[in-house]
Amino acid sequence: MYPNDGFRELERPECLRLLAKVPVGRIVHTRQALPAVLPVNFTLDGDGAVLLRTSAASELARLVDGVVVAFEVDEVDAATHSGWSVVVTGPAMVVTDPAEHERLIRTGPRSWVPSPREVFVRIEPELVTGRELVAGRSLYGVQLAP
């Protein structure tokens, strides 16, 4: 987050609560030395880790395994100039433990594009940040123009 930008900073527990409300987020990673952003459905694990499910043959699984990524979710109301944004930053790893994989088949996210062989990607929540703008009023007390 950026200090003094007029948004209210959200604490980690509030960020995780908001994350759990939204079914789709964006994973930010590097592809061919450039930033790449991909919308994905997800769930949160009990420890706050972000879980994705994708084809074992997907480029996404290959590109993010073992590297630090960002994962962003938000909810915005353009009419009232209000909303929030949460970013989780941490290492992403393809789940390779068979017992963990079986647990996630039962409890993890369901793929919106199922494939014959799927893997789970876990993003460890090393840094969780969020910010909120309520009803178009910044922390400076200045009302946004209608």
Side-chain angles (χ1 to χ4, degrees):
M1 297 292 94
Y2 302 103
N4 302 315
D5 66 0
F7 288 85
R8 181 175 79 85
E9 188 174 340
L10 303 175
E11 298 295 326
R12 184 183 181 106
E14 189 171 10
C15 289
L16 293 175
R17 182 184 62 75
L18 291 169
L19 268 169
K21 289 177 34 176
V22 179
V24 175
R26 287 166 289 286
I27 186 167
V28 182
H29 61 95
T30 303
R31 183 175 184 218
Q32 297 176 349
L34 297 171
V37 181
L38 185 66
V40 293
N41 68 300
F42 73 101
T43 60
L44 288 184
D45 210 356
D47 60 358
V50 174
L51 296 170
L52 314 176
R53 187 174 188 164
T54 188
S55 166
S58 77
E59 186 178 18
L60 175 66
R62 184 179 54 77
L63 289 174
V64 303
D65 191 25
V67 301
V68 173
V69 300
F71 186 80
E72 191 268 345
V73 297
D74 56 45
E75 195 169 88
V76 177
D77 184 333
T80 63
H81 297 193
S82 60
W84 55 266
S85 174
V86 171
V87 177
V88 173
T89 306
M93 292 159 280
V94 172
V95 174
T96 57
D97 177 68
E100 179 73 355
H101 184 84
E102 286 302 312
R103 179 184 75 84
L104 293 176
I105 286 174
R106 292 187 310 278
T107 64
R110 299 284 171 240
S111 178
W112 288 7
V113 185
S115 71
R117 214 174 63 120
E118 296 179 324
V119 295
F120 293 93
V121 175
R122 171 185 296 278
I123 302 170
E124 294 299 332
E126 286 190 358
L127 179 62
V128 179
T129 59
R131 63 188 200 157
E132 177 183 42
L133 181 62
V134 179
R137 182 172 292 281
S138 75
L139 289 180
Y140 305 123
V142 176
Q143 185 70 33
L144 297 175

